[in-house]
Every structure is written in structure tokens, then in C-alpha cells.
Amino acid sequence: MKGLFLNGVRIFLGILFLTAGINGYFVIFGLEPFISTSPQAMALFEFDYLLVAEKSLEIICGILLLINRYLPLALAILTPIIANILLLHLFVDHSLLILAVVMTCFHCYLLYCYRNNFLSLLEKRPS
């Protein structure tokens, strides 16, 4: 049962970040995105190259989550992105706050499941 839920969470986050990343490119090129992006969120990106970098990382990590490869790397890259998404929806734009909280909980669950991959980062005196 744990493996089924773990795979479901992984696939959900993979699809979510893949579609959000692709949707960001429609906004960059001035096309109408297929998922509405709030003006408050887009106002935070003063330079398009920052948005390109973030959306590219979202696409790459979404693909890594979907193909079940390099999961600790994808989770490490997504951690600051998810923190920014949660803080944005908590303090600026409350429209997708529930999705941001669910996404954060799912991300924390995946971090917990793969915690052994991150324990060496917390060693006091590495060998």
C-alpha cells in the first residue's frame, strides 16, 4: 500500500510540475496559457530569464519524477521552488493556497520516504 501511495504522489507531483513548467513558457512567449497564472505571481518575475530558469527546472524535475530517475536530486531542486510557491500563495495570492499546501505535504512525504539519501548531508564530521 505504501508503494502505491508513494508512486501516486510521485506521479501527481511530476504531472503538476511538468504542466506548470510548460504553462510558464506560454506566458513567456506572450501566448494565452492553458492554466491561468495570477498577475500577482507574474509581477514577481521582473526578468524573463528568471522565469525561464525556474520553469525549465520545473519541467526537468517533473520529467525526473515521472520517469522515476534521480529522485533525490529532483526533490532537492524542487525544495526551494515549492517553498516559494507556498509562501507566495500564503502571503500574496490566496487563490491556489490549498493546492500549494497539498503540494508541500506531498513533497515532504517524498522527502521523508527518501530521507536516507539526505542523511549524509547532515553529518557533523564527514569522512
Side-chain angles (χ1 to χ4, degrees), residues 86-106:
L86 178 66
L87 293 173
L88 171 85
H89 290 294
L90 191 61
F91 294 115
V92 178
D93 180 23
H94 304 292
S95 63
L96 295 174
L97 180 60
I98 293 174
L99 180 62
V101 169
V102 168
M103 180 175 43
T104 304
C105 291
F106 282 176

Side-chain angles (χ1 to χ4, degrees), residues 20-89:
I22 293 170
N23 185 58
Y25 278 104
F26 285 107
V27 173
I28 293 169
F29 296 132
L31 302 172
E32 185 65 29
F34 54 91
I35 300 173
S36 65
T37 304
S38 67
Q40 295 93 342
M42 294 311 297
L44 295 177
F45 291 100
E46 187 175 329
F47 306 107
D48 281 343
Y49 65 86
L50 292 176
L51 188 61
V52 169
E54 179 185 348
K55 295 303 176 181
S56 298
L57 286 174
E58 287 180 8
I59 291 171
I60 291 168
C61 291
I63 291 171
L64 290 176
L65 286 170
L66 287 174
I67 64 172
N68 201 17
R69 298 284 185 252
Y70 303 107
L71 290 180
L73 175 64
L75 292 174
I77 292 171
L78 286 176
T79 300
I81 295 173
I82 290 176
N84 283 328
I85 291 170
L86 178 66
L87 293 173
L88 171 85
H89 290 294

Side-chain angles (χ1 to χ4, degrees), residues 72 75-76 79 106-116 118:
L75 292 174
T79 300
F106 282 176
H107 184 258
C108 288
Y109 174 72
L110 287 178
L111 285 174
Y112 176 77
C113 289
Y114 292 100
R115 67 188 177 278
N116 292 333
F118 298 105

